[in-house]
């Protein structure tokens, strides 16, 4: 059995944001056992799974991703859409745009400390389109 | 329902290359609704999804991955296969070797600007083996 | 058809470790054709696929991940759980926590040189919980 749903996340400011609850509300009832694939349809944002409790983790992740792919490096040629654009593409490929997560007993089978993050890498990324596919 | 197909990509030079069309042609007709997993059977190449229009994005991604995992760092010990080999292994784990993408209405449900990239991290990587698995 | 199994990996020291055999033994018989999703329920460890032969690749990967996300960067604020903790969260998002791998002829369809790695990013991470989901 397969079920697919497309929806949009509200605009978030640049950074890492917990969106587990928004995604679960958008998807509705989960099957008893299966997997859920979450896919973001953009090349300057990403999805990842990380710590769901302390906001300092999200803040520091932002600092680290800027450290990994800084703006203004001398070799960058793709600059027409702003200095935040090309680093955003890099970060998107580092974080990834697709998550596959097990479902068990009608719930997303995340670890105690795991949450789904929207990684917004643009200064003004706007609303982001997501497709969730359930297999069960 | 499940369908699996193995095929080889032609050799590409070191860098990031749009291969969405090659993959779709190799796979043939897609189901109405489902997911497609694309898997590359190598440890010095990768797969990612990124911008499908401006070639400068692919060129800069190459520059950034060299910035993230440069050749010649003093701690590198795995050098027998050339200075490009160990950084290629690192980049493969940063980009990943497996993509899971939704299918809808018989088409790959990518964003407007998204394409599938082969990430060729070796100077002479040769032909790369891919397995595509369709679930529907 | 879907089958799901949860189990724990024994504690590993900080670094990259080949766990293909442990995972396959824990899962038991594989279906003829399908996919296997391996998911790790932690935010300071990860899973990746890389070279299964030369231990120097695992050692150098460790060096490179420390290079990408070093301890002690001046902007880090999440330091209560030790200097290795926040870099471990970053590395987890860089490597990822979920792998999707094709199965063919009752075997995991990895490349000749590919193996599944546990990426243990903490100094004392302890035992790590894994869920494997088979679809066929």
């Amino acid at each position: 059995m397969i079920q697919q749903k497309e929806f949009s996340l509200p605009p978030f400011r640049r950074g890492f944001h917990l969106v587990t609850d928004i995604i679960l509300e958008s998807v509705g009832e989960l099957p008893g056992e299966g997997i859920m694939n979450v896919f973001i349809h953009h090349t300057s944002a990403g999805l990842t799974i990380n710590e769901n409790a302390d906001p300092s983790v999200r803040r520091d992740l932002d600092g680290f991703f800027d450290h990994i792919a800084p703006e203004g490096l001398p070799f960058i040629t793709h600059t027409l859409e702003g200095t935040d654009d090309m680093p955003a593409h890099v970060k998107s490929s580092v974080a990834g745009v697709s998550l596959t997560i097990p479902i068990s007993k009608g719930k997303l089978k995340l670890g105690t400390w795991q949450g789904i993050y929207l990684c917004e890498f643009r200064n003004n990324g706007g609303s982001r389109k997501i497709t969730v596919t359930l297999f069960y």
Side-chain angles (χ1 to χ4, degrees), chain A:
Chain A
M1 294 282 284
I2 176 168
Q3 224 179 300
Q4 204 170 69
K5 199 158 191 178
E6 181 190 313
F7 55 92
S8 289
L9 296 177
F12 281 91
R13 62 174 171 72
R14 180 169 166 170
F16 289 76
H17 306 280
L18 258 179
V19 293
T20 320
D21 289 347
I22 300 180
I23 287 174
L24 288 176
E25 279 160 31
S26 305
V27 172
E29 205 185 347
L30 292 182
E33 196 173 49
I35 51 169
M36 174 168 118
N37 178 262
V38 192
F39 190 90
I40 188 165
H41 297 272
H42 300 272
T43 63
S44 59
L47 296 168
T48 194
I49 291 173
N50 220 305
E51 221 254 25
N52 60 16
D54 191 339
S56 65
V57 171
R58 266 109 74 195
R59 193 172 51 230
D60 286 355
L61 269 168
D62 200 36
F64 266 106
F65 270 69
D66 283 344
H67 177 79
I68 291 169
E71 299 186 18
L73 285 179
F75 59 78
I76 303 177
T77 61
H78 182 78
T79 53
L80 262 178
E81 296 173 56
T83 55
D84 61 320
D85 186 53
M86 190 57 225
H89 289 307
V90 178
K91 293 166 181 175
S92 176
S93 279
V94 172
V97 297
S98 179
L99 296 173
T100 303
I101 308 170
I103 296 167
S104 177
K105 298 173 186 163
K107 290 193 174 179
L108 211 50
K109 201 170 183 308
L110 292 167
T112 313
W113 303 106
Q114 287 182 315
I116 302 174
Y117 284 23
L118 165 69
C119 318
E120 177 52 75
F121 296 127
R122 294 303 308 267
N123 293 333
N124 295 289
S127 179
R128 299 298 198 170
K129 207 168 81 179
I130 300 275
T131 294
V132 170
T133 307
L134 301 173
F135 261 88
Y136 54 99

